[in-house]
Amino acid sequence: MSDAIGLAVDIKKRGRGGERKIEAMAADSDKDLEGVLVVALEQAVAAPYCSGRLADAGARVIKIERPEGDFARGYDHLVKGESAYFVWLNRGKESVCLDLKRDDHRAVLGNMIAKADVFIQNLVPGAVARLGFDMDSLRKRYPKLVTCSISGYGEEGPLRDLKAYDLLVQAESGLSSITGNEHGMARVGVSVCDVAAGMNAYEAILEALIARGRTGEGAEISVSMFDGMADWMATPLLQHEGGRPPQRVGLAHTSIAPYGVFKTKDGADILISIQSDREWRILAERVMGDKALAADPDFANNVERVKRRAKTDGKVAAAFGAHNVDELIEKLTAADIAFGRVNTPAELSTHPHLRRITIGTPTGPVSYPAPAAQRSVEPRKYGSVPSVGQHSAKIRAEFAPK
């Protein structure tokens, strides 16, 4: 296994030479994890998100696909014939197709794991053990190995065997109950449970690699979609247990008014957020042009405005509806009022603040939003999305039983 991860070394003990070395390693962000081998027995969204971020940082990621390929390849064919999810989540990886019912293919996987730094899998709980790769045994055999299992409800507990997909976990965790409006519940429009699990796995693996640089020992990690979303639901849960369960309010705020969407004269939707009574007075006087409202004790503080939410919102709606969007945005900007346009993916596509990267796919280059983190060093270069089994022959030869 690679000893490339030495990030936890105390550079104060290493002296100035050691400090310069760390800086030199960090100067090329494409190679932060260079020399790290990640074997990913993965499908769908959560595990590919995690391994994809490791690939972005320079790790060699070998994606194990079933003979017909990761089923996420078939979610749609909207990106030059490729799946939108698959193109987003699988850049920079090598793809090998293995039929793990075959002894010789399991032997190839075993040899890969023997040389790996990280082994990620998101099969149903118990499946990887039935294939002969239970995590306890792997960790005993390869003490430096970091293993990570991603599942719906974890490896233990009463729901461990329950099938888990993103929307099911949104419902089970309570997220659906606080999403939507007074007319009903709604799904969060992106796969937040899957993505949260992938993010949690990614950070846990990085922590384990840092610790391994200090101790020489790997780790066994388990991440569940439910736990990740339950963590994100901490505030609504505490509000409920404190006696005030959160209500579905659509594009509004349960505790603040005005905080919501208002339509302009020419039909644009503008969302504003008033965070203080001072901001309310500025909004009323400088944007709405109503000095009397700014001084009205019935609306002077947030508690009173929330009591009279319908009237508060009605006054704002009337004022905003008298202006075209460009004029209103100019007023809001001049008054330093927080606002945002309610855009669709169509507007995001041409948004002036959107950063993009371009990556290769089996059917040609594709441009989509860049990862959030920006670095002061040279921009990262991102690898291509592999075709099904693109690297099978090379990888099977490399890790064939001797």
Side-chain angles (χ1 to χ4, degrees):
M1 294 184 186
S2 167
D3 289 319
I5 302 301
L7 301 180
V9 175
D10 183 351
I11 60 176
K12 292 181 180 178
K13 295 179 180 178
R14 297 174 63 192
R16 295 183 58 84
E19 185 172 350
R20 284 197 298 274
K21 183 177 180 182
I22 292 293
E23 290 173 350
M25 288 171 62
D28 190 345
S29 65
D30 287 344
K31 299 180 180 179
D32 289 342
L33 296 182
E34 185 177 29
V36 173
L37 175 59
V38 178
V39 175
L41 181 57
E42 62 179 24
Q43 57 195 357
V45 177
Y49 182 99
C50 171
S51 64
R53 291 321 190 251
L54 295 169
D56 285 349
R60 180 189 181 190
V61 176
I62 300 177
K63 179 183 180 74
I64 313 297
E65 299 195 60
R66 60 188 72 196
E68 66 273 21
D70 182 342
F71 59 77
R73 289 182 181 270
Y75 281 168
D76 59 52
H77 301 288
L78 298 174
V79 186
K80 298 184 177 181
E82 309 288 341
S83 159
Y85 265 109
F86 194 87
V87 165
W88 174 46
L89 296 170
N90 290 283
R91 61 180 179 252
K93 302 178 186 179
E94 300 173 46
S95 169
V96 56
C97 288
L98 296 179
D99 180 355
L100 296 178
K101 295 177 182 178
R102 293 176 46 172
D103 292 342
D104 56 336
H105 283 203
R106 287 199 304 276
V108 170
L109 176 57
N111 287 345
M112 293 166 61
I113 294 173
K115 296 180 180 179
D117 298 283
V118 180
F119 175 48
I120 301 168
Q121 66 89 20
N122 69 332
L123 305 185
V124 297
V128 76
R130 289 192 293 272
L131 291 170
F133 301 102
D134 67 282
M135 297 303 183
D136 286 343
S137 296
L138 290 178
R139 284 280 300 116
K140 290 174 183 175
R141 198 177 313 155
Y142 312 116
K144 298 176 90 173
L145 180 66
V146 174
T147 66
C148 182
S149 297
I150 303 173
S151 62
Y153 295 97
E155 303 301 305
E156 305 292 340
L159 300 186
R160 71 181 291 269
D161 295 322
L162 196 65
K163 282 190 173 181
Y165 304 116
D166 185 85
L167 183 53
L168 301 178
V169 178
Q170 288 193 32
E172 193 75 32
S173 66
L175 177 62
S176 299
S177 74
I178 61 168
T179 306
N181 56 30
E182 67 275 15
H183 302 297
M185 295 179 285
R187 172 188 182 268
V188 176
V190 295
S191 299
V192 288
C193 300
D194 278 318
V195 173
M199 293 172 65
N200 289 332
Y202 175 55
E203 67 180 33
I205 288 169
L206 292 181
E207 289 176 3
L209 290 173
I210 291 170
R212 192 185 75 173
R214 185 179 66 252
T215 67
E217 287 289 318
E220 183 178 345
I221 299 163
S222 174
V223 171
S224 84
M225 294 163 63
F226 180 84
D227 288 347
M229 200 43 50
D231 180 23
W232 286 17
M233 285 287 294
T235 294
L237 176 64
L238 292 171
Q239 290 170 337
H240 161 74
E241 292 177 346
R244 185 177 293 178
Q247 304 298 309
R248 294 189 303 275
V249 293
L251 284 178
H253 197 287
T254 57
S255 307
I256 302 172
Y259 195 145
V261 178
F262 303 92
K263 197 172 289 293
T264 66
K265 184 178 181 180
D266 51 352
D269 289 321
I270 300 293
L271 194 153
I272 63 165
S273 172
I274 298 301
Q275 295 289 313
S276 69
D277 298 332
R278 179 188 64 81
E279 286 186 351
W280 162 253
R281 292 190 293 272
I282 293 172
L283 176 74
E285 185 169 344
R286 295 175 56 184
V287 178
M288 299 168 65
D290 192 338
K291 291 185 178 180
L293 181 62
D296 190 332
D298 283 349
F299 301 91
N301 61 63
N302 184 64
V303 172
E304 297 301 321
R305 292 193 298 276
V306 170
K307 284 181 185 177
R308 300 169 177 82
R309 185 186 294 276
K311 288 185 177 180
T312 302
D313 288 352
K315 291 179 181 294
V316 176
F320 280 29
H323 300 288
N324 287 330
V325 63
D326 291 341
E327 180 187 5
L328 180 61
I329 286 177
E330 186 176 338
K331 283 178 169 287
L332 291 168
T333 302
D336 198 27
I337 297 297
F339 73 93
R341 294 193 64 157
V342 182
N343 289 326
T344 67
E347 284 83 38
L348 174 61
S349 180
T350 58
H351 199 289
H353 209 76
L354 177 65
R355 296 183 300 107
R356 287 177 176 265
I357 59 174
T358 299
I359 54 116
T361 78
T363 50
V366 170
S367 168
Y368 54 62
Q374 297 186 65
R375 295 165 177 80
S376 60
V377 296
E378 284 290 318
R380 276 185 170 166
K381 301 176 184 67
Y382 296 93
S384 296
V385 177
S387 58
V388 180
Q390 180 178 340
H391 307 91
S392 288
K394 175 177 74 75
I395 292 172
R396 287 177 190 165
E398 180 181 354
F399 295 98
K402 303 301 183 183

